Amino acid sequence: AADTGRLKTEVDPGRAGFFIDGKYVGPAANFKIARTYEVAPGEHEVRLVDPRYQEIVKKVTITGGKKTVLKETMTALPPAKPPFGKLRVENADHFAAVYVNDRFMGHVDEFSNFAQALLLNPGTYEVKVVPLNGSPVTKSVTIEADKTVIVK
């Protein structure tokens, strides 16, 4: 539509989850080079979330027919301490959001094969996979040190 504005991101790290008005739209890097995200004119809340960094929440004002660029560098948090178990997540939507105990952790494609997993301390977690289109999947999982759990 001609009255929407476009939002482009230049975010470090690019894998940070990009939320507009509380809705997950994908990893920030998806909107970096050629792609932009169409947004209605007016003020919007933008959140950048990565479990290894401090969350960033900003208000952006979008003007119809114009491109707005969001430039942010996130601040790293101290690394988690072992022991760790591994969580793998598989879903047809590679950009589906992955939440652990309601905290955004990334998207499916980051945790979906034998070489990739989310390291978690042993314990029981609620894992929620939310595709961009389709029904969310919620499972309770128990993570044990040096073992891998797969959520499909």
Side-chain angles (χ1 to χ4, degrees):
D3 58 350
T4 61
R6 294 185 323 284
L7 185 58
K8 189 177 188 67
T9 64
E10 291 179 17
V11 174
D12 181 23
R15 59 181 299 284
F18 184 39
F19 293 77
I20 297 175
D21 297 328
K23 179 182 186 291
Y24 174 69
V25 295
N30 280 13
F31 307 98
K32 184 176 181 181
I33 310 293
R35 287 175 61 185
T36 56
Y37 192 77
E38 290 206 1
V39 186
E43 188 175 81
H44 297 275
E45 181 188 88
V46 174
R47 273 180 45 220
L48 298 166
V49 184
D50 184 299
R52 291 172 298 275
Y53 294 82
Q54 288 176 14
E55 189 172 303
I56 293 176
V57 179
K58 287 268 162 111
K59 294 278 187 213
V60 294
T61 301
I62 301 295
T63 305
K66 298 256 190 291
K67 179 167 66 181
T68 301
V69 179
L70 177 72
K71 290 185 183 183
E72 293 293 336
T73 299
M74 299 177 80
T75 305
L77 295 170
K81 305 269 187 281
F84 297 117
K86 290 181 179 180
L87 174 69
R88 281 185 32 207
V89 182
E90 297 176 5
N91 190 285
D93 180 351
H94 292 242
F95 292 120
V98 177
Y99 297 85
V100 174
N101 292 350
D102 290 326
R103 275 192 66 218
F104 177 80
M105 290 292 171
H107 59 278
V108 165
D109 207 34
E110 296 175 274
F111 315 121
S112 62
N113 69 48
F114 71 93
Q116 300 170 300
L118 177 61
L119 298 179
L120 293 171
N121 296 116
T124 301
Y125 298 90
E126 184 181 270
V127 178
K128 187 159 75 175
V129 181
V130 183
L132 297 178
N133 298 300
S135 301
V137 175
T138 303
K139 294 214 169 130
S140 179
V141 299
T142 300
I143 300 291
E144 297 176 55
D146 305 318
K147 296 207 170 138
T148 300
V149 173
I150 300 175
V151 171
K152 297 183 184 196

